Amino acid sequence: MPTPHSTSAASGSTAPQGLPFDPDALRARYRAERERRIRPEGSAQYQRPTGRFGYFDEDPYAEPLPAREPLHDRVDAVVIGGGFGGLLAGARLRQAGLDSIRVIEKGGDFGGTWYWNRYPGIHCDIESHIYLPLLEEVGYVPKWKYAPGEEIRQHARAIARTFDLYRDACFQTRATELRWDEAESEWLVSTDRDDRIRARYVVTASGTLSQTKLPGIPGIETFEGHTFHTSRWDYAYTGGSPDGNLHKLSDKRVALIGTGATAIQCVPHLGAGARELLVFQRTPSSVDVRGNRPTDPGWAASLTPGWQQRRRDNFLTLVTDGRTEEDLVDDGWTSSARLQQKLIPTGSYGDLPPEERERAEEIADFQKMNEIRARVDAVVTDPEAAELLKPWYRYMCKRPTFSDSYLQTFNRPNVTLIDTADSHGVEEITANAVVVGGTAYEVDCIIFGTGFEVGVSGITSGHLPVHGRGGTTLTEAWRNGPRTLHGFYSHGFPNLFQLGPLQNASAVNYVHILDEQAVHVAEVVAEAHRRDARYVEPTAAAEDAWLATIREKAVDLYTFHAECTPGYYNNEGKPGRRRESFADGPVAFHALLRAWRATGGMREVLVDAQQEKSTDRPPVPVPVPPVTAVRDHSDTQTGRSPAPGVPEA
């Protein structure tokens, strides 16, 4: 029989109900640590890199912009974005029979996140055999369980070659406007290179981790040393490569601001290369065991057709708290599936009453986080540094990270951890120093590992204006919140498809989600061609029904996120009241889409000339003043998902 109370190693107090820790003490500690870090301005504490820092958004990898004449042609489809979302859209549309597919990408090549992020140590945190898409189609098996960034980038290029997407691609080009031509039933796509491209279909896949951000630290523009953002790593200054060996830092004092997933991977290399490394931390990440290893050649040789889909489905089922006979991936994600319900609910809650279920989940969460904090004590030799590196929050308040070298780096004599929680971040930057707690730390270089704006695309933010039927803009149509059918298309915007997390379902392996989305779009397009439909557009009734479904099934996670330490998962401590995602989870959502396609759902979106004349579609609404950013609705949380396996601060 358990004793009624025991001593809590985590809190130093007594623990009820036979637990080796005191839940009340942990809750109090979590609240106190949150209050140390919360800032009233929320996400406004960050800024876009403009002015002096405008070069942070430039492309350090591309050759000088090649001269070309503006394009004034017609293609079957324009895909906006050359990351995995755009690549999957292009590949699946090619499989659906489309010939001319033009990918428009602001970078100098395909790869998206993996094109821009090339910092030392970069790896995927989702197993590469399920994260890298189209492995069987390309004929490739990744070399590592968790692939390095360069291997992932090269696989992205291989997809483009396999599906002939380089042929019509436009790199170093930004789409600036989408305008529907009613007479021709096609889109006119404008770009910053004076292109005017006509396309029957447009697919937007510009991603949710594309816009870098900087902290709005007073004096940031006065620093006279060297600066760069981790997503634009300056190897000319540091030396080395993504594999490390940052030899040019051997005489430098380097500051890294930010300790999210990017820092977990680059800090070991900075610590090994710099004369002195100062890591400025507001909130520590949870750091679990990585256990990376090479792919077993014998296992790779044993794979049979369909192996990747089976492995992806197995992982997706497990991380959404489903049941399978075998855990094929068997890693930190599948072992923590129950805890992930607090970020990506799936409706699989069993028969427990809500209060009992919540308590059981919280206890499991405390146990997991106690293990992670104990690992810090076991690895870090300096007790003060170890205490600062312990994460005091629920497991899914921040994206979990995995590393076998990050914590060990703080045992190096040249590495110093500087906690900024009590000052709510770095207080000031001067000409030669970073100031925290009134102390100025002189440095030669500041590296910003402060991540990206999350959940924002050009479409939803209004930075890429979209004019649908009658000239109505998407921001006008969404002035009261996003309106879609299944998250893909909206009434009044024919033949426009959106890939992303809005009003559908998500998962930690986000590339799998993107592939399911791309398959769905391609199936709809193929059916439109088979039926000789004039265009694809959901009815207003279908859109209304889907919104009702989303809101009827919505899980209220507001309290959980409001009590979390501030970060991008909870909008820096200011979570939205309403979730815009399908609460039954991705497995159920993908099954719903397959059933919808198989049982006549296409009737809700395919319009031929006769249907168009007899339809009860309402007239185009009178334009209203444009909304600058759809995501700014105070009661809406726009379905933000975890970063798609990408290290991000």
Side-chain angles (χ1 to χ4, degrees), residues 136 303-313:
E136 291 186 74
L303 297 173
T304 57
W307 70 267
Q308 186 180 35
Q309 187 65 45
R310 291 191 294 272
R311 196 172 184 87
R312 289 195 313 183
D313 289 345

Side-chain angles (χ1 to χ4, degrees), residues 527-594:
E527 187 65 16
H529 280 245
R530 282 191 288 269
R531 298 190 189 184
D532 196 27
R534 184 175 178 189
Y535 52 77
V536 176
E537 180 189 0
T539 65
E543 199 176 67
D544 288 341
W546 183 244
L547 290 177
T549 297
I550 288 286
R551 287 160 192 175
E552 176 187 349
K553 291 180 172 292
V555 176
D556 184 5
L557 295 177
Y558 175 81
T559 299
F560 173 82
H561 288 291
E563 293 175 352
C564 275
T565 191
Y568 72 81
Y569 276 6
N570 68 351
N571 193 31
E572 295 297 335
K574 296 186 175 183
R577 282 282 182 181
R578 193 173 69 211
R579 294 185 63 84
E580 293 286 346
S581 59
F582 184 67
D584 286 351
V587 174
F589 180 67
H590 299 157
L592 180 152
L593 291 180
R594 288 191 292 271

Side-chain angles (χ1 to χ4, degrees), residues 208-280:
T208 59
L209 294 174
S210 57
Q211 178 59 57
T212 57
K213 66 182 182 185
L214 290 174
I217 301 170
I220 188 173
E221 73 285 349
T222 68
F223 184 68
E224 295 177 357
H226 197 74
T227 62
F228 58 88
H229 193 278
T230 51
S231 68
R232 305 293 191 273
W233 197 273
D234 189 351
Y235 284 107
Y237 181 82
T238 67
S241 71
D243 294 326
N245 188 29
L246 309 181
H247 58 90
K248 291 186 178 181
L249 298 180
S250 61
D251 61 345
K252 301 291 192 300
R253 298 165 299 176
V254 178
L256 174 68
I257 297 178
T259 52
T262 296
I264 302 305
Q265 301 194 83
C266 70
V267 158
H269 295 285
L270 287 169
R275 186 186 98 193
E276 183 179 0
L277 173 64
L278 305 176
V279 179
F280 291 85

Side-chain angles (χ1 to χ4, degrees), residues 79 81-92 110-111 134 155-157 159-160 165:
V79 177
F84 277 137
L87 285 164
L88 284 163
R92 297 307 187 186
F110 289 104
L134 301 168
H155 181 66
R157 301 181 69 208
I159 292 172
L165 298 177

